[in-house]
């Protein structure tokens, strides 16, 4: 209940992402916020005011001229709110807010309120990149508003580009951080996290890989960022979008990942190797697609560099602290301890192989001071426990 008791006004603009405002209201309520809703007339074409009345228990304000409102409803709403989240914030809404217009319920409330204002832009990437939109955005930010997103992804037009509204959960997270700034014990600390699989090319269209989803690394990155750390994610090829607020460097092969990690690791306080690095690569990747007519090829493999082991050798003293993972099908604990010693790591997080791709899994944290068992926990929880255990090296 991280937003317990906070009074949040969700102001909905007229864009297709308006349907996500329903889930946003719910998510804020789940976190304990008191939520009210104000909508532009355009927004009501995408999602019904009745829906919001149903889930908030109060009328969603859509029309300043409604004679049932006694008094000045925009002033009352504006004074009630501690925070206003404009989601979706369309190009039109940003423009009108930047000019201080007050000709509908949303704009009049924004104009009348001293609350902190957060805009969640959502529009086609051409509209987002338009000079006018960027000027309006900059103006609003200069006056103290915060822009949450947009992010890159599939747009309503079917194209992919920058302009997609953040997901309700991401918006709620951002709001939570802004309104109830947690303690940031890792502020000033640098954390480097690898995630995802690596792809080892066989020819221009084929590769060797594994089933890593990147989820564990994402959960760690998010948890470290919430603790205030500056987080870099070195990310192998995955479908899912990485968390917001962390620097992302995308890589493909184990050798790319090795280079990216080595270039940054020694500046870090903590390196967590959550990536499932391919141990071997084809000795020579064919430059042309291998054709069926030439017959089944024999793949000759050669070893990839062991990134974690190289870090163990490269560091001088205890910095950066090194955390690795071991996914085992048998002898889980013995293997974890062997890898910890062999690679010079401070901690190995041992999982049974059933953890691959799963949301929850049992784990063991193997360090020099023994083994901590963690009963099946969601990856977000496991991430917190790993960081708790690493805290003694990050803040010696
Ligand atoms: N790792 C790495 N570089 C590699 C292989 C693994 O940095 N080339 C890291 C992984 O990110 C993980 C840890 O080392 O944090 C253990 O990975 P794992 O594949 O379990 O270890 P291996 O050394 O490959 O051991 P084995 O094949 O014997 O299980």
């Amino acid at each position: 209940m991280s937003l317990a008791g906070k009074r949040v006004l969700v102001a909905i603009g007229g864009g297709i992402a308006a349907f996500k405002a329903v889930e946003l209201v719910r998510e804020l309520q789940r976190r304990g916020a008191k939520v009210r809703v104000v909508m532009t007339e355009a927004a009501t074409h995408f999602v019904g005011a009745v829906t919001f009345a149903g889930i908030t228990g109060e009328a969603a304000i859509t029309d300043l001229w409604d004679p049932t409102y006694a008094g000045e409803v925009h002033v009352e709403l504006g004074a009630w709110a501690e925070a206003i989240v404009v989601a979706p914030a369309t190009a039109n809404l940003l423009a009108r807010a930047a000019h201080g217009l007050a000709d509908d319920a949303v704009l009049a409330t924004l104009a009348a309120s001293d609350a902190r204002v957060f805009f969640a832009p959502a529009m086609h990437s051409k509209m987002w990149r338009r000079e006018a939109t960027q000027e309006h955005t900059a103006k609003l930010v200069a006056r103290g508003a915060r822009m949450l997103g947009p992010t890159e992804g599939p747009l309503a037009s079917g194209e992919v580009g920058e302009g997609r509204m953040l997901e309700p959960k991401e918006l709620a997270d951002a709001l939570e951080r802004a309104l109830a700034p947690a303690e940031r014990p890792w502020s000033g600390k640098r954390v480097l996290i690898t995630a995802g699989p690596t792809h080892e090319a066989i020819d221009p269209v084929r590769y060797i890989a594994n089933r890593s989803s990147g989820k564990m690394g994402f959960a760690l990155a998010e948890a470290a960022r919430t603790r205030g750390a500056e987080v870099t994610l070195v990310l192998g090829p995955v479908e899912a979008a990485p968390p917001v607020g962390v620097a992302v460097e995308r890589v493909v092969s184990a050798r790319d990942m090795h280079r990216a990690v080595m270039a940054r690791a020694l500046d870090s306080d903590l390196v967590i190797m959550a990536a499932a690095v391919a141990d071997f690569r084809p000795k020579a990747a064919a430059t042309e697609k291998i054709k069926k007519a030439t017959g089944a090829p024999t793949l000759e493999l050669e070893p990839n560099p062991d990134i974690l082991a190289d870090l163990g050798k490269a560091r001088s003293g205890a910095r950066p602290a090194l955390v690795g993972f071991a996914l085992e099908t048998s002898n889980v604990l013995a293997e974890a301890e062997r890898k910890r010693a062999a690679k010079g790591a401070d901690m190995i997080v041992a999982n049974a192989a059933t953890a691959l791709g799963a949301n929850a899994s049992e784990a063991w944290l193997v360090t020099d001071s023994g083994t901590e068992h963690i009963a099946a926990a969601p990856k977000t929880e496991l991430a917190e426990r790993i960081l708790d255990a690493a805290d003694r090296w990050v803040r010696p």
Side-chain angles (χ1 to χ4, degrees):
M1 300 292 270
S2 40
L3 289 171
K6 299 273 181 229
R7 297 183 307 275
V8 181
L9 178 65
V10 175
I12 307 172
I16 183 68
F19 78 92
K20 289 192 191 170
V22 179
E23 188 48 36
L24 175 62
V25 170
R26 270 269 179 257
E27 185 62 34
L28 296 171
Q29 287 175 327
R30 271 195 285 270
R31 298 179 190 213
K34 294 184 195 140
V35 183
R36 289 173 73 183
V37 171
V38 59
M39 308 169 72
T40 64
E41 200 269 329
T44 63
H45 293 282
F46 291 97
V47 60
V50 178
T51 307
F52 295 106
I55 58 179
T56 65
E58 283 194 72
I61 309 300
T62 58
D63 177 9
L64 290 177
W65 303 111
D66 185 332
T68 58
Y69 306 138
E72 296 181 299
V73 69
H74 56 295
V75 176
E76 186 267 317
L77 260 186
W80 173 85
E82 285 170 71
I84 304 179
V85 198
V86 185
T90 60
N92 182 46
L93 199 45
L94 289 170
R96 291 160 70 219
H99 288 283
L101 299 189
D103 57 353
D104 69 15
V106 167
L107 290 163
T109 305
L110 284 172
S113 183
D114 290 327
R116 296 180 63 184
V117 180
F118 301 82
F119 288 94
M123 65 198 76
H124 189 273
S125 40
K126 281 203 171 131
M127 297 172 81
W128 172 246
R129 276 192 243 106
R130 195 65 64 205
E131 217 179 350
T133 308
Q134 291 303 314
E135 276 175 27
H136 298 143
T137 308
K139 237 184 213 165
L140 291 165
V141 169
R143 291 185 203 137
R146 285 263 312 268
M147 293 294 146
L148 307 177
T151 169
E152 224 177 275
L155 304 171
S157 62
E159 294 156 278
V160 172
E162 194 183 4
R164 189 179 161 85
M165 191 169 92
L166 292 187
E167 294 303 321
K169 240 180 112 333
E170 295 172 315
L171 290 174
D173 284 347
L175 213 67
E176 206 176 289
R177 282 195 298 280
L179 294 183
E183 243 187 284
R184 293 166 72 81
W186 286 17
S187 145
K189 302 292 179 185
R190 289 190 177 164
V191 176
L192 180 67
I193 296 168
T194 66
T198 63
H199 286 182
E200 310 299 324
I202 297 170
D203 69 13
V205 296
R206 303 181 179 95
Y207 55 80
I208 298 176
N210 56 62
R211 283 165 39 205
S212 169
S213 66
K215 281 183 198 164
M216 190 65 234
F218 288 3
L220 286 160
E222 199 154 357
R225 186 210 56 203
T226 306
R227 289 177 191 225
E230 189 185 309
V231 181
T232 303
L233 191 59
V234 175
L235 181 59
V238 291
E239 291 278 327
V244 292
V246 311
V248 178
E249 173 159 0
R250 291 194 184 255
V251 296
V252 177
S253 69
R255 281 185 293 180
D256 297 341
M257 186 174 276
H258 187 267
R259 265 191 297 275
V261 169
M262 286 307 186
R264 285 171 185 71
L266 299 181
D267 270 350
S268 305
D269 297 284
L270 170 67
V271 179
I272 307 181
M273 286 293 308
V277 187
D279 288 325
F280 301 100
R281 64 172 179 266
K283 198 159 188 176
T287 50
E288 298 282 333
K289 184 183 169 195
I290 300 169
K291 304 296 280 184
K292 194 159 53 183
T294 44
T298 303
L299 281 184
E300 204 183 327
L301 303 178
E302 63 185 358
N304 270 325
D306 188 317
I307 305 171
L308 186 55
D310 284 355
L311 285 172
K313 284 182 214 132
R315 71 173 168 173
S316 58
R319 197 172 169 276
L322 298 177
V323 175
F325 278 73
L327 189 73
E328 307 292 345
T329 46
S330 57
N331 296 331
V332 180
L333 290 184
E335 273 303 283
E337 184 50 43
R338 181 186 66 76
K339 285 178 188 175
R340 199 180 75 80
K343 301 190 186 215
D346 297 295
M347 184 191 338
I348 293 284
V349 182
N351 280 142
T354 46
L356 252 192
N359 279 320
S361 64
E362 182 186 26
W364 293 263
L365 309 185
V366 181
T367 67
D368 60 353
S369 53
T371 296
E372 182 185 344
H373 177 246
I374 297 173
K379 290 204 154 95
T380 46
E381 169 66 18
L382 179 56
E384 295 296 343
R385 301 284 294 271
I386 293 169
L387 298 193
D388 284 347
D391 189 61
R392 65 179 159 119
W393 301 303
V394 174
R395 297 187 303 160

